[in-house]
Amino acid sequence: VVSGSEEADANDPSGMSLADHLEELRWHIFKSLIAIAVFSVVAFIFRVQIMGFLTRPLPAAANALGGGKTKLVVTGIGEGFTTSLLLAIAGGFVAALPVILYQTWAFLAPGLYQQEKKYAVPFLIAGLFLFLAGLTLGYIVLQYPVNWLVNFASDSFTQLISVGSYFKFVALFLLVFGVVFEIPLILTFLSIIGILTAETLSRKRVVSHVGMWIAATILTPGADFYSPIFLGVAMSCLFELSIIFMKISQLMRDRREREEIAV
């Protein structure tokens, strides 16, 4: 006869062997890869529309051989195909982010305490929302560094921009904005685990803002005037938002502790 406690222990994820954990991880990774593959196929089908969307910030002067059209240049026989393929995979990854985050949550959730689970779901949703918000703002700002770089010394040089150089620039630019928008999430997490407090950030507010504006001028590829301003304003607003989130989470923890003591 198996007692209730022994039965509970048998169903406890912490009692799983290393091989069981690896097998479960393998299936979650497999499901995530399937989602990426499916969305990548869809993105490849609509590759012309996606490329048109991403090349919209390019001015007509970007290609001297395009006859007024903003067509990019390929320098190898297979570069057009490989660029389309990589672009489709990148689009598939972004589209599959909800599935990837869900699979990550499904793998980690059994090993979390109930209190940790309450934080995990909002963190995953907020992380996805903030990353997409960063990509959106990055795309809006993208036209400024692109126009500045293309038109700089255009009277002295013939512009022939390759697909590889352009999409690497776009990927880096958008990634910077996407990662920067995770600032509130990172700082709030550090607050929850006790490394940072809202009071500490408030005391170092001036130094932090100066450091973020310096970082904004370094992180934005391109020497235009507008990109660092947009990124700097975004970082400063996100920093202040982080302080508010940290204070709210601290109030919630204090209230929960008082309720536990009362019980």
Side-chain angles (χ1 to χ4, degrees), residues 29 36 115 159 166 172 210 220 227 237 240 245 257:
I29 293 176
I36 294 174
Q115 179 180 347
Q159 297 285 346
Y166 178 73
L172 177 61
V210 172
T220 48
S227 299
C237 293
E240 296 297 330
F245 284 166
E257 289 176 0

Side-chain angles (χ1 to χ4, degrees), residues 49-114:
Q49 290 82 352
I50 295 174
M51 284 189 182
F53 178 74
L54 292 177
T55 55
R56 192 173 297 167
L58 276 170
N63 186 356
L65 303 179
K69 297 181 180 179
T70 55
K71 284 188 175 181
L72 296 172
V73 176
V74 293
T75 57
I77 189 170
E79 188 176 5
F81 173 76
T82 55
T83 301
S84 299
L85 188 61
L86 292 174
L87 195 61
I89 294 174
F93 178 81
V94 173
L97 269 178
V99 178
I100 296 171
L101 292 176
Y102 174 79
Q103 293 301 325
T104 304
W105 161 251
F107 176 72
L108 297 176
L112 299 176
Y113 294 105
Q114 191 62 33

